[in-house]
Amino acid sequence: MFEITKRDGMARIGKFTTTSGRTIETPALLPVINPKIKTVTPRELYDEFGFGAMITNSYIIKNTPALKEEAQSKGLHEMLDYPGIIMTDSGTFQSHMYGEVELTNKEIVEFQRSIGTDIGTVLDIFTEPFWTKEQTAESIVETLKRTEEAVSLKGEMMINGVVQGSVFPDLREDCARKLAEMDIDVHPIGGVVPLMEQYRYSELVDVIVSSKMGLNPNRPVHLFGAGHPMILAFATLMGCDLFDSASYAKFAKDDRMMFIDGTFRLQDMQSLDCNCPACRGMTLETLKKTEKNERIRIIARHNLYQIKQELSLVKRYLREGRLWELAEVRCRAHPAMLDGLRKLREYQDFMERFDPISRESAIFYTGIETRGRPVFKRYDDRIMTRYIPPTKKAALFYGGQNKPYSRFFVSDFVNARRQGYTPVVISPFGPVPAELDEMYPIAQSMFPSIEDTDTENESDELSLAFLEKHFTEGVVNGSDLEPEYNGEPTDEEIKDNDTKRVWAVARYQFGIEAAEALLKGELTFRKSRKTGKIRNVFSDGEHVLSMRAGDGFFTLRMEGAKRIVENIPAPRMRVQVADDAVPFISQGRNAFCQFVTAVDEELVPMDEAIIVDKDDRPVGTGKMLLVKNEIFSMKKGIAVKTRTGSDEDKDE
């Protein structure tokens, strides 16, 4: 069973529980153990390094009489002295390296089950990157046939359903969709080792994302053969949950040491510069002079510590909502990785479905590739389709050094509005109407003070399209306006600007029709005594919205939810739940996946949602944690974190 507990776009922290009751938190890496050669013992992996899962090769065990007898008499866990989750490979990689293996799919699946592995693997067909599309398609048919057979044989053992398809995205997606319909427990993406070995990361992006498009989101996705620390952040960003590495030991035998920026041969290194437990207190000269077997063990342990450290960092950034930032930095370790990051921008539409409406952390701009984040596309789309300018004339201002909006413009904005112009800042982010200046991601973004040409050009293109659409009566430079400003804005001007802000944010966040339903009537505001910013919005005396200080967006109150339900047809902004859940949600309890019966497919993580019963009556409001296809596929987990139940009216 797999439960998503935290997410950052397509990346997710999950709880994966096997049928044996063993559990790991994802993303997780599974070190590969050769059952004949234990450079680092399985028990050390578990006790010292904290790896809660590992992989070993059932094909090698089956074809080694002594190992086969021991595994079948003791069971795999006792044989390896490993209390965590054990996944076994089937021999597919051996067939890729050395040719056909001498066993059938049925034989290897039944053998894996007989030795007590937690997760077995089908004997799939490894699709090579140089294969033709026709050859690849034929092999997928056989892989799917074998997977169906494996599912029928697995019993209590979990089974890997491996996505194949070479470098053809359409074949990958089709294979994934067919596998998603089977009773599979984990979805490895196979046939990718040659791509990583040849640094073909842009093609790897096609392979991963096209596979994700077809897979069932209630199962962890395993990127077979990916265990180098430099790839972990980027692969996690694309929605991979599990990884494995045999390279930590293979590289050690060749005196190669893994670091976050690459792999380096011991003989070429000028200094060790590593303080991991394996290297601590050791000089490069000492390591070079160490006896061969001991040196292999030291380097293998070093490599494992590097992997473990990076994976811990990936999890921290994921929890903090900053994984994009880490991935962008990591992808600059190699030009081919940067190719992959740039390729990912082609999938903005798909990624935007999973990208949260807001994050707690700021956007740190690392280069033109940052514009490939889904949040940029969402902003561009919404200001073009959901923004309604107060006037048809715009006065342009140019952003401050580190923010797209500068407080130095406040008096200029008042002056522009008095002359009938809508203030618009031209920033590195693109065009920023003054009414949206405190909203995520505008106020939560940091740009270098010296712009690069690509950033400037893209900002100019977006600004031109925005101005041409919305300001048909003219555009002027704000510095050319008559200096008519004579003091602080009046109370009437302040209220008018507050009203414009509320309307603009509501349209951006909820859509034009929903904003009209929410805000019809006389608007009044309650403000923070400390900051003077809007905190609560009342329409004809009803508390419909509260504005969040952190991101400038609204939380939806029950009165506001009722207005939307009364005026906007279902399923807009709704999450419908079964009768059994209604009494609990109305008291403020969360809405769990298994009780959801209908969802607006346009809702994204962190969106405001209206929880309704089968008769479309609001029973609560809250924020989305999962999206529609995730909710309906999950057997466990929170779909909506309820903020207010209909039987209460608590503030966030």
Side-chain angles (χ1 to χ4, degrees), residues 184-203:
I184 289 164
D185 304 286
V186 179
H187 282 301
I189 300 175
V192 296
V193 170
L195 297 178
M196 291 184 284
E197 289 178 339
Q198 298 166 28
Y199 291 86
R200 295 163 64 176
Y201 288 110
S202 63
E203 290 170 281

Side-chain angles (χ1 to χ4, degrees), residues 36-88:
K36 291 183 175 180
I37 310 169
K38 303 181 181 71
T39 308
V40 180
T41 69
R43 193 75 200 197
E44 287 176 306
L45 292 174
Y46 189 84
D47 290 339
E48 181 178 344
F49 292 89
F51 288 110
M54 57 158 280
I55 297 179
T56 195
N57 194 295
S58 64
Y59 177 74
I60 294 176
I61 295 172
K62 189 176 188 303
N63 286 277
T64 307
L67 292 176
K68 177 181 178 182
E69 181 180 351
E70 185 180 6
Q72 290 187 316
S73 61
K74 291 182 178 180
L76 195 56
H77 290 81
E78 184 179 345
M79 170 185 148
L80 294 174
D81 186 24
Y82 187 77
I85 295 171
I86 299 179
M87 179 186 292
T88 46

Side-chain angles (χ1 to χ4, degrees), residues 5 67 109 116 125 130 226 261 313 365 474 492 581 594 602 612 619:
T5 59
L67 292 176
V109 171
I125 307 297
F130 58 83
D261 56 343
L313 191 65
Y365 195 83
E492 183 178 346
Q594 58 267 41
E602 294 186 9
V612 297
V619 297

Side-chain angles (χ1 to χ4, degrees), residues 446-479:
M446 295 290 290
F447 293 79
S449 57
I450 301 175
E451 287 187 3
D452 58 88
T453 302
D454 289 334
T455 298
E456 188 175 0
N457 289 342
E458 189 156 343
S459 173
D460 289 345
E461 290 176 6
L462 294 170
S463 298
L464 180 61
F466 174 78
L467 295 171
E468 287 180 344
K469 176 173 182 179
H470 292 301
F471 298 98
T472 56
E473 295 181 9
V475 176
V476 299
N477 193 313
S479 61

Side-chain angles (χ1 to χ4, degrees), residues 100-137:
E100 291 298 320
V101 293
E102 295 180 357
L103 82 171
T104 66
N105 179 59
K106 183 175 185 292
E107 289 171 341
I108 196 63
V109 171
E110 289 180 336
F111 178 71
Q112 291 174 87
R113 187 187 66 203
S114 73
I115 61 177
T117 185
D118 292 289
I119 308 166
T121 304
V122 64
L123 186 63
D124 56 304
I125 307 297
F126 192 105
T127 53
E128 303 281 3
F130 58 83
W131 281 7
T132 66
K133 193 168 187 177
E134 292 73 20
Q135 185 179 8
T136 302

